[in-house]
């Protein structure tokens, strides 16, 4: 029996937010839901290379993601447009 990997509080927060984003897509029409799930997966995959040690950057991305999700979940939103976040190096 393999032991589950231990995760930091921030890692748990990121995973929890990812699951929340995917669950939130259920409340949208089918076409939008598929688009939203694809966008969520793409954004998380794109940012998966951010080192665990860059805590402030991860926290920034979480705040940004929460704001974007709040906007998308408004009743009058029925499509997604592409948003690119430039790296703050």
């Amino acid at each position: 029996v393999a032991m589950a990997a231990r995760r930091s509080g921030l890692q748990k927060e990121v995973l929890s937010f990812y699951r929340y984003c995917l669950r939130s897509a259920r409340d949208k029409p089918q076409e939008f839901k598929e688009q939203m799930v694809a966008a969520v997966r793409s954004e998380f995959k794109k940012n998966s290379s951010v080192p665990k040690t860059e805590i402030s950057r991860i926290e920034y991305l979480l705040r940004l993601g929460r704001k974007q999700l709040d906007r998308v979940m408004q009743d009058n939103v029925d499509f997604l447009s592409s948003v690119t976040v430039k790296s703050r190096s």
Side-chain angles (χ1 to χ4, degrees), residues 28 70-79:
K28 292 291 185 178
D70 285 345
R71 276 186 246 127
V72 167
M73 293 310 295
Q74 294 175 3
D75 288 336
N76 62 343
V77 175
D78 59 0
F79 70 95

Side-chain angles (χ1 to χ4, degrees), residues 6-19 44 47 50-64 66:
R6 296 188 90 163
R7 291 183 165 72
S8 72
L10 190 56
Q11 286 173 313
K12 290 177 185 177
E13 191 175 346
V14 169
L15 289 172
S16 175
F17 181 61
Y18 176 74
R19 289 190 300 270
F44 275 82
N47 290 301
V50 174
K52 292 187 254 184
T53 55
E54 290 191 30
I55 294 169
S56 61
R57 184 169 173 203
I58 295 168
E59 289 172 339
Y60 165 77
L61 290 169
L62 274 171
R63 283 191 308 275
L64 181 66
R66 287 186 181 115

